[in-house]
Amino acid sequence: MSDEPVAEDVTPLDAEPSERGILFVISSPSGGGKGTLIRRILPRVPRLGYSVSWTTRPPRTGERHGVHYFFVMPEEFIAARERGEFLEWAVVHGHYYGTSRPVVERELACGRDVILEIDVQGAASMRQLPLDSVGVFILPPSYEVLRVRLIARKSESLDDLALRLRNARGEIEHYREFDYVILNDEVERASAQLAAIVYAARAERQRQESLVRRVLTSFPEPTG
Ligand code: 5GP
């Protein structure tokens, strides 16, 4: 057997949650592929939860209440907003969308970091909150690729599709407000990059203070 050091699994690093969970705020234009990347990393990265948003947009074929969104009527959304149920909310492509405060709190309370898949306005609101967050912008390779992806998705009416494409450039122009930008030209690579960002953020020194202090207590005090 070799005495060569063996690269350890990432689990030990991961087993030490920072004191408070991290919110990973992921934005992109519609069709940018953030949902696909998130679905790929959720089962692979431990201690990572997802916050299901509320929306007044009608469900698309195959979308399920409580899984993809909580689909509600505008009056219900507004009443929930008045009750302070949203960490942030915005009107996006003509519909209300909001991040549920209890859902995020529940995930954080379970010791998980949380992924929020929200638009650039919501990301700006999140930055105003005193929460530990990391912003990631998912960039489509080109207008043409985005257009083809949106058409292939067959989820929007033609008017809606045109609206989403019109809004895309303005959304991309917000990229400077994010900590990271991932080019989504190849799903495997882009999702590996997203997972790497999660691990790197967790390992940042300022998030490891309590771990370092705990490890230090196992060392004898210096003498003399
Ligand atoms: P879609 O209708 O394609 O599911 O989503 C349209 C846009 O709304 C996307 O950019 C998506 O990220 C954003 N969105 C989804 N949930 C939320 C939310 O809770 N808050 C905000 N601000 N945007 C959201």
Side-chain angles (χ1 to χ4, degrees):
M1 208 166 94
S2 147
D3 282 330
E4 285 287 300
V6 177
E8 288 203 357
D9 184 275
V10 286
T11 318
L13 172 77
D14 213 70
E16 285 297 343
S18 51
E19 280 161 282
R20 294 179 65 188
I22 308 167
L23 293 171
F24 290 94
V25 177
I26 320 283
S27 295
S28 78
S30 192
K34 57 189 175 307
T36 308
L37 302 185
I38 293 168
R39 275 194 301 279
R40 280 180 91 90
I41 72 159
L42 278 176
R44 297 179 186 179
V45 178
R47 267 201 319 107
L48 192 57
Y50 178 77
S51 162
V52 177
S53 292
W54 289 42
T55 185
T56 58
R57 159 170 86 59
R60 298 174 185 139
T61 312
E63 282 186 332
R64 283 191 292 140
H65 184 79
V67 174
H68 298 89
Y69 283 105
F70 295 105
F71 295 99
V72 294
M73 301 305 285
E75 312 79 69
E76 216 180 323
F77 189 98
I78 290 163
R81 192 184 68 191
E82 307 292 294
R83 291 195 303 272
E85 295 231 1
F86 298 125
L87 271 182
E88 64 72 36
W89 66 274
V91 176
V92 192
H93 313 312
H95 300 285
Y96 284 114
Y97 292 82
T99 301
S100 162
R101 189 187 297 274
V103 169
V104 170
E105 280 171 1
R106 194 185 54 223
E107 289 295 312
L108 293 177
C110 293
R112 279 196 284 268
D113 297 330
V114 183
I115 289 208
L116 303 181
E117 183 185 344
I118 62 181
D119 86 310
V120 293
Q121 306 169 73
S125 305
M126 289 304 298
R127 277 192 297 278
Q128 305 304 315
L129 298 176
L131 295 168
D132 185 10
S133 69
V134 173
V136 183
F137 192 83
I138 310 293
L139 184 69
S142 67
Y143 176 79
E144 193 48 30
V145 169
L146 189 68
R147 196 177 71 85
V148 169
R149 278 189 197 156
L150 273 174
I151 293 171
R153 196 160 87 172
K154 291 197 184 109
S155 52
E156 274 83 29
S157 67
L158 279 182
D159 281 354
D160 228 34
L161 196 143
L163 174 68
R164 282 161 187 259
L165 280 173
R166 267 201 311 280
N167 290 341
R169 187 188 169 105
E171 292 170 321
I172 294 173
E173 281 168 353
H174 283 271
Y175 76 94
R176 281 195 195 84
E177 297 160 18
F178 293 78
D179 301 299
Y180 296 93
V181 174
I182 297 179
L183 177 69
N184 189 14
D185 54 349
E186 208 272 298
V187 170
E188 198 59 49
R189 203 212 82 259
S191 55
Q193 228 176 345
L194 183 57
I197 287 168
V198 172
Y199 285 121
R202 288 176 176 176
E204 262 190 61
R205 191 208 60 238
Q206 63 269 32
R207 296 196 177 94
Q208 298 288 4
E209 292 292 342
S210 64
L211 168 66
V212 176
R213 279 199 300 274
R214 226 172 17 255
V215 170
L216 272 178
T217 59
S218 71
F219 284 73
E221 293 281 344
T223 50

